[in-house]
């Protein structure tokens, strides 16, 4: 395997502790529309999927682009309102990303989220230095476990996939990294070590503070 040159971070549940608020937004959306939605099961099914894929899963059929946009606008608007009042980064993320920059590693975001949610998160996070590249699910890229989002991020960094490490909180994302030919690290905000395992997984940690304490970045040259 080539030396690691870049880190690609999933956004929701990895950079920011947003997944409980996505779940609450689906609860509220279902309430408003009188839907009987098993939200925990729906979250397992759709985490890592893009907005169109989520809308199709919600309705149990292929929806039109207009219907998908309508569902997405309402649900994500609820989510941003809820999370804005409770915004928090995953522990140690800002320091971890800044240290990666200082060490000369390239940094990208690879998320199934859309432009509005990316702008919302980055506006609140104020990540410094900013990411070198971003790949999103609303760019016509299929959601995870398809590898396309991570491959697009690597392409924009001008780094070959095998030289990238993906940071992910969900099994679909860990599998997407494997399909992309990338190594991965599980971030345990929503899943345990067993759920986020695999031969390509270098480590699992509850947050980035733990990785910093274990000098993960300094040991990357041994990966």
């Amino acid at each position: 395997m080539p030396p690691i040159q870049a880190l690609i971070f999933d956004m929701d549940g990895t950079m920011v502790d947003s997944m409980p608020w996505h779940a609450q937004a689906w609860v509220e959306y279902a309430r408003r529309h009188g839907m009987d939605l098993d939200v925990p099961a729906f979250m397992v099914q759709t985490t890592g999927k893009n907005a169109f894929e989520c809308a199709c899963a919600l309705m149990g059929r292929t929806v039109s682009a207009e219907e998908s946009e309508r569902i997405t606008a309402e649900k994500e608007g609820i989510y941003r309102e809820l999370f804005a009042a409770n915004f928090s980064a995953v522990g140690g993320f800002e320091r971890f990303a800044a240290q990666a920059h200082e060490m000369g590693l390239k940094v990208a975001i690879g998320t199934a989220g859309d432009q509005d949610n990316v702008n919302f998160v980055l506006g609140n996070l104020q990540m410094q230095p900013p990411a070198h590249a971003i790949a999103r699910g609303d760019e016509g890229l299929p959601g995870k476990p398809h590898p396309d989002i991570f491959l697009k991020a690597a392409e924009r960094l001008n780094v070959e996939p095998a030289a990238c490490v993906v940071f992910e909180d969900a099994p679909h994302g860990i599998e997407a990294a494997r399909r992309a030919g990338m190594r991965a690290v599980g971030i345990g905000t929503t899943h345990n070590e067993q759920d986020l395992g695999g031969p390509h997984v270098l480590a699992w940690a509850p947050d980035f503070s733990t990785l910093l304490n274990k000098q993960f970045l300094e040991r990357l040259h041994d990966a």
Side-chain angles (χ1 to χ4, degrees), residues 8-92:
I8 303 176
F9 296 94
D10 169 56
M11 185 174 73
D12 290 299
T14 300
M15 293 168 54
V16 292
D17 197 10
S18 56
M19 296 311 294
W21 306 105
H22 277 292
Q24 286 300 312
W26 282 120
V27 169
E28 175 60 17
Y29 182 93
R31 185 196 68 79
R32 291 183 185 182
H33 293 271
M35 302 176 72
D36 182 15
L37 182 64
D38 183 341
V39 172
F42 185 73
M43 293 293 289
V44 170
Q45 178 186 2
T46 59
T47 297
K49 302 295 186 181
N50 64 32
F52 178 77
E53 292 164 340
C54 289
C56 292
L58 178 72
M59 302 307 294
R61 56 177 170 80
T62 301
V63 301
S64 67
E66 181 181 358
E67 188 176 8
S68 173
E69 289 171 6
R70 190 163 60 244
I71 291 168
T72 301
E74 182 176 352
K75 180 267 172 178
E76 300 304 347
I78 297 168
Y79 151 72
R80 289 191 294 271
E81 182 178 353
L82 291 170
F83 193 35
N86 300 276
F87 189 89
S88 63
V90 172

Side-chain angles (χ1 to χ4, degrees), residues 44 47 169-171 186-196 204-205:
V44 170
T47 297
D169 72 304
I187 300 297
T189 57
T190 55
H191 289 84
N192 60 33
E193 186 171 4
Q194 183 176 357
D195 290 340
L196 303 180
W204 177 94

Side-chain angles (χ1 to χ4, degrees), residues 125-195:
L125 193 60
Q126 297 185 348
M127 183 177 171
Q128 293 297 331
H132 296 101
I134 301 173
R136 307 186 315 271
D138 63 345
E139 297 183 88
L141 299 171
K144 304 160 190 175
H146 297 288
D148 303 61
I149 289 171
F150 293 146
L151 290 173
K152 179 58 70 174
E155 177 186 319
R156 288 176 175 166
L157 291 174
N158 195 30
V159 174
E160 62 178 301
C164 297
V165 176
V166 165
F167 293 78
E168 261 285 355
D169 72 304
H172 283 160
I174 294 292
E175 172 61 13
R178 185 191 68 80
R179 295 186 189 184
M182 300 176 180
R183 285 162 279 186
V185 172
I187 300 297
T189 57
T190 55
H191 289 84
N192 60 33
E193 186 171 4
Q194 183 176 357
D195 290 340

